[in-house]
Amino acid sequence: MHASLLNDILIILLLSVVVLYLCQRMRLPIIVGFLLTGVIAGPHGFGLVREPATVQTLAEAGVVLLLFTIGLEFSFRRLLQIRKTVLLGGSLQIALTALAGFATAKFFGFRFNEALFAGFLLSLSSTAIVMKTLQERAEMETPQGNAALGILVFQDIAVVPMMLMVPLIAGAARDEGVSPALLAVKIVGIVALVPLLSRVLVPRIFFGIAKTRSRELFLITTISLCMAIAWLTHEAGLSLAVGSFLAGLIISESEYSHQALGDILPFRDVFTSFFFVSIGMLLDAGFFLRHPLLLVAAALLILILKAATAGAASFLSGLPLRSALIAGIALSQVGEFSFILSQAGVPYGLVSGPFYQAFLAVSILTMMATPSLIGMAPAVANALSRLPLPGRLKQGMAPEQREKATPRENHLIIVGFGLNGKNLARAARIAGIPYTILEMNPSAVRSERAKGEPIFYGDATQEAILLHADIRRARSLVVVINDPAATRRITELARRLNPRIYILVRTRFASEMNALIALGANNVIPEEFETSVEIFSRVLAKYFIPKEEIEKMISDIRSDGYEMLRTLSPNALPSCTMESCLPDLEIASFRIGEGAAVAGRTLQETQMRKRYGVTLLAINRRGQVLSNPAANQEFAGGDILFVVGDAKDIQRVKRFFSTGEE
């Protein structure tokens, strides 16, 4: 049994490697590759997998983790801050598409609840495919890119209430003796529990866990909370997927959400791949081969219908006609969350038999067509925009309400908030440079966030954490932590994510310099050599080396990567001690007695330098040092004088200031 499961997993993984490689060469989305892997390995393909039910169990874990990460990326605070155009565009797109899908399904003879569920399935688009394609085309910051992103965000949120409504649509609550009112009470109770857990319990748990500095314990705690809340919601009559979303939403309210997301992403990607493979295993390739023209026609109908409704929603939310058309075409496919939603409808009989096979086949076709459609969208939009339409129509319904994205950019990322990190943040704040801090000390994060510092709890060795800090838009990154292995990983990752970023790294040991520079650091500051620089600069100053020459030496040392400290130049600087360079001079100090004759007289009146050849350097008056006194400086009883001159001349000055006699 166990060996059979291992064989199935190995077959899926090896086959995925081959199929995904071919999809990458053909520029097809990764999700399509997983779906095709399932088609090939499934019972309707070559039958390579012997236990599809076990793979389905792994797929359910993928759904849980997928919705958990969706919840982690949002919060009640962020939901309240979603802009009006996003809410309007997202709600209009879902409403218009669901209504059009419902009407089309009713036209083809579907029952009311089946047609309504079909409308829900068609209303969702593929966040993964659209965002990946727009990023590759550098169109994320365009008006159509912002509109597509906003509508997709709204769809990701809307899938949760859709899943909650599945039993109601199917009439299952009534048939099972559970009234819709009782189900609604359960939903309200669980939702009301979310802010209580997110503000009171979860932050305290994660604060205690984070203080241990154990990554393994933090990860296990994150997964345990996800599974526990998902299980509680399941026991209350809701789905595991809904519970996992609520678990992510609860954790998202804390400052530990980004670290939790970074930890969970690798597991999510692995288990989610099994989900898409399991969906592909359900597809009957023979069904597709028996009805190719019908399925292609259905896919074209869906693409046109969704492009029209999504474009209309974007236009009504304020976009110009051209941008609205491009956004509509980008959102014309059936999304991955439609698969999740369809799985929720299978036990209730909302999708079954030929309709389910047709839905799977059509969905895969629309997803495969998406990258090409997005590439063609500008040309199609330009052609339609040239039609003789009113100017108001081309400009948009409410252009004054369009919102411009203000992404964080050209900022400084500080990794580590010890003494160096604090000093750097203080200097950046004074200079008006925007900055973000990443720190692994939960106590420091909590206290500094309370002071208003832009600091986040997160391990910068993880890609998700650096992406949250907008590493791709940052101008510079400074790493000031005491972990050599983590420093190397951060340097390599940052350089890969942003080839243009300036990276400065502080390291304790000079032996790390070459490795860090090879990994992509622009400058490396080793504490060993900086300590040496501070020591020798002070020592050389005591030997009367001119300050300009010391500073030039320090500049030369730093500019060539401290190479001079490894092989010092044989050209020595002219140095000397007081005794060797100025053998006849002496620095001495003496006190003016109380009531001395010189008290109240000025330096000019005593003619110290002219009469005795002695120079006054400073006066210590009751602990206050007066350096390089002026000629009109008066002496007072108790003053300590610091003078330089010949030893015999100094003795004469002492007698004069003490007795008034030479």
Side-chain angles (χ1 to χ4, degrees):
M1 183 71 175
H2 296 292
S4 178
L5 173 61
L6 180 61
N7 289 338
D8 289 346
I9 293 176
L10 182 60
I11 289 172
I12 290 174
L13 293 177
L14 292 177
L15 185 59
S16 296
V17 171
V18 177
V19 175
L20 293 180
Y21 175 77
L22 294 176
C23 286
Q24 287 282 40
R25 296 295 300 270
M26 298 166 60
R27 299 185 180 276
L28 293 176
I30 291 294
I31 292 176
V32 174
F34 285 124
L35 294 171
L36 293 177
T37 300
V39 172
I40 296 171
H44 302 294
F46 291 98
L48 301 177
V49 175
R50 300 178 183 178
E51 298 184 17
T54 305
V55 177
Q56 184 65 31
T57 302
L58 297 176
E60 291 179 0
V63 174
V64 168
L65 294 178
L66 181 61
L67 283 172
F68 178 58
T69 55
I70 292 295
L72 278 174
E73 292 175 332
F74 296 95
S75 66
F76 287 115
R77 188 180 301 107
R78 288 186 62 190
L79 293 180
L80 293 175
Q81 293 174 349
I82 292 179
R83 303 196 174 190
K84 181 179 178 180
T85 53
V86 174
L87 290 172
L88 180 61
S91 57
L92 282 174
Q93 184 272 331
I94 288 179
L96 293 175
T97 308
L99 182 61
F102 169 78
T104 304
K106 284 293 291 179
F107 177 79
F108 285 104
F110 284 74
R111 293 181 300 171
F112 179 86
N113 57 354
E114 292 176 343
L116 182 59
F117 191 66
F120 281 178
L121 294 178
L122 294 182
S123 67
L124 302 176
S125 304
S126 176
T127 302
I129 295 177
V130 174
M131 289 298 98
K132 185 174 185 298
T133 306
L134 291 178
Q135 284 180 345
E136 291 175 349
R137 294 175 56 85
E139 295 182 4
M140 287 297 299
E141 304 303 327
T142 61
Q144 59 268 23
N146 289 330
L149 175 61
I151 292 175
L152 288 168
V153 166
F154 192 89
Q155 289 181 3
D156 292 343
I157 300 170
V159 72
V160 176
M162 286 182 184
M163 296 184 71
L164 293 176
M165 293 175 64
V166 168
L168 299 178
I169 295 173
R174 181 178 62 256
D175 296 340
E176 296 173 4
V178 181
S179 67
L182 179 58
L183 184 61
V185 169
K186 289 183 178 181
I187 295 172
V188 171
I190 291 175
V191 172
L193 193 62
V194 170
L196 177 64
L197 293 175
S198 63
R199 295 177 183 176
V200 179
L201 183 61
V202 169
R204 293 182 180 179
I205 292 176
F206 273 110
F207 180 73
I209 296 298
K211 287 176 67 176
T212 65
R213 299 294 185 93
S214 171
R215 297 180 181 177
E216 295 80 6
L217 182 57
F218 190 94
L219 173 61
I220 294 299
T221 303
T222 301
I223 296 178
S224 298
L225 282 173
C226 170
M227 297 301 178
I229 296 174
W231 176 79
L232 285 175
T233 56
H234 182 265
E235 290 297 306
L238 302 178
S239 68
L240 287 172
V242 172
S244 60
F245 175 81
L246 292 178
L249 202 61
I250 289 170
I251 297 176
S252 72
E253 290 293 316
S254 71
E255 59 264 35
Y256 309 101
S257 60
H258 306 296
Q259 180 62 38
L261 179 63
D263 286 341
I264 212 73
L265 280 179
F267 297 93
R268 183 204 67 176
D269 293 340
V270 171
F271 283 99
T272 304
S273 66
F274 281 101
F275 167 74
F276 290 113
V277 169
S278 69
I279 293 296
M281 291 171 63
L282 299 175
L283 179 64
D284 186 353
F287 178 84
F288 178 82
L289 295 176
R290 289 192 297 271
H291 311 283
L293 296 179
L294 179 63
L295 294 175
V296 170
L300 289 174
L301 176 62
I302 290 175
L303 289 170
I304 295 172
L305 183 146
K306 291 199 65 177
T309 55
S314 301
F315 177 76
L316 293 174
S317 65
L319 257 67
L321 179 62
R322 179 182 181 278
S323 299
L325 289 171
I326 297 176
I329 294 173
L331 298 172
S332 60
Q333 74 292 132
V334 178
E336 55 268 14
F337 279 111
S338 296
F339 295 146
I340 298 175
L341 189 59
S342 69
Q343 288 288 291
V346 169
Y348 298 99
L350 293 175
V351 287
S352 59
F355 171 67
Y356 190 46
Q357 287 297 326
F359 165 73
L360 292 173
V362 169
S363 299
I364 292 174
L365 288 175
T366 61
M367 296 172 81
M368 293 177 67
T370 298
S372 299
L373 289 176
I374 292 178
M376 296 164 51
V380 175
N382 290 335
L384 293 176
S385 298
R386 285 194 291 267
L387 295 175
L389 300 173
R392 179 67 172 172
L393 188 63
K394 293 184 178 181
Q395 293 175 3
M397 296 290 291
E400 69 277 2
Q401 296 180 0
R402 279 178 281 157
E403 301 171 16
K404 298 180 180 179
T406 55
R408 178 172 43 186
E409 58 185 355
N410 291 327
H411 58 290
L412 164 67
I413 300 176
I414 304 172
V415 180
F417 204 58
L419 179 61
N420 290 315
K422 290 180 179 178
N423 290 334
L424 178 57
R426 186 180 299 112
R429 187 167 55 251
I430 294 173
I433 299 173
Y435 62 94
T436 296
I437 306 164
L438 299 176
E439 171 59 44
M440 287 291 289
N441 184 337
S443 300
V445 172
R446 172 174 290 186
S447 61
E448 296 299 330
R449 280 174 70 92
K451 298 176 184 176
E453 283 284 7
I455 186 171
F456 300 93
Y457 179 85
D459 181 2
T461 62
Q462 297 184 4
E463 181 174 336
I465 301 300
L466 289 180
L467 290 176
H468 167 70
D470 288 325
I471 184 72
R472 290 196 171 105
R473 296 191 184 98
R475 175 174 293 185
S476 54
L477 170 75
V478 177
V479 184
V480 282
I481 58 177
N482 294 324
D483 186 338
T487 299
R488 290 192 295 271
R489 167 64 178 161
I490 295 168
T491 303
E492 183 274 331
L493 185 59
R495 179 57 65 204
R496 175 160 52 85
L497 293 175
N498 186 349
R500 298 178 302 276
I501 194 171
Y502 171 79
I503 302 176
L504 187 146
V505 180
R506 185 217 63 185
T507 180
R508 296 184 63 185
F509 306 107
S511 58
E512 292 284 324
M513 289 184 59
N514 292 335
L516 289 169
I517 292 174
L519 289 172
N522 297 91
N523 280 313
V524 180
I525 307 297
E527 286 187 351
E528 284 182 330
F529 284 163
E530 277 301 308
T531 302
S532 301
V533 167
E534 184 65 20
I535 291 173
F536 78 62
S537 63
R538 296 194 181 191
V539 171
L540 293 180
K542 289 297 180 183
Y543 283 81
F544 298 99
I545 300 297
K547 182 179 180 181
E548 294 78 8
E549 296 189 20
I550 297 177
E551 291 178 349
K552 184 178 183 304
M553 177 188 288
I554 295 174
S555 176
D556 291 342
I557 288 173
R558 288 173 174 162
S559 64
D560 71 350
Y562 301 89
E563 187 64 29
M564 288 178 64
L565 290 184
R566 304 174 187 179
T567 55
L568 284 175
S569 170
N571 299 323
L573 294 176
S575 63
C576 61
T577 63
M578 189 71 166
E579 292 78 8
S580 61
C581 292
L582 303 171
D584 298 328
L585 293 183
E586 178 181 328
I587 296 178
S589 62
F590 57 89
R591 185 187 297 272
I592 299 176
E594 297 292 342
V598 295
R601 298 176 62 183
T602 65
L603 175 60
Q604 185 176 9
E605 291 173 345
T606 61
Q607 296 184 334
M608 180 185 293
R609 181 181 300 174
K610 183 177 181 179
R611 295 175 60 184
Y612 303 103
V614 175
T615 301
L616 179 63
L617 300 177
I619 301 174
N620 186 334
R621 179 172 294 168
R622 294 184 294 275
Q624 181 180 3
V625 178
L626 307 175
S627 301
N628 193 22
N632 60 353
Q633 177 66 54
E634 293 185 354
F635 296 110
D639 286 351
I640 300 177
L641 307 185
F642 296 87
V643 296
V644 60
D646 183 84
K648 295 180 179 180
D649 293 337
I650 291 176
Q651 292 301 321
R652 293 172 57 204
V653 169
K654 283 184 179 181
R655 287 195 300 270
F656 173 72
F657 273 75
S658 300
T659 64
E661 299 178 357
E662 299 185 9

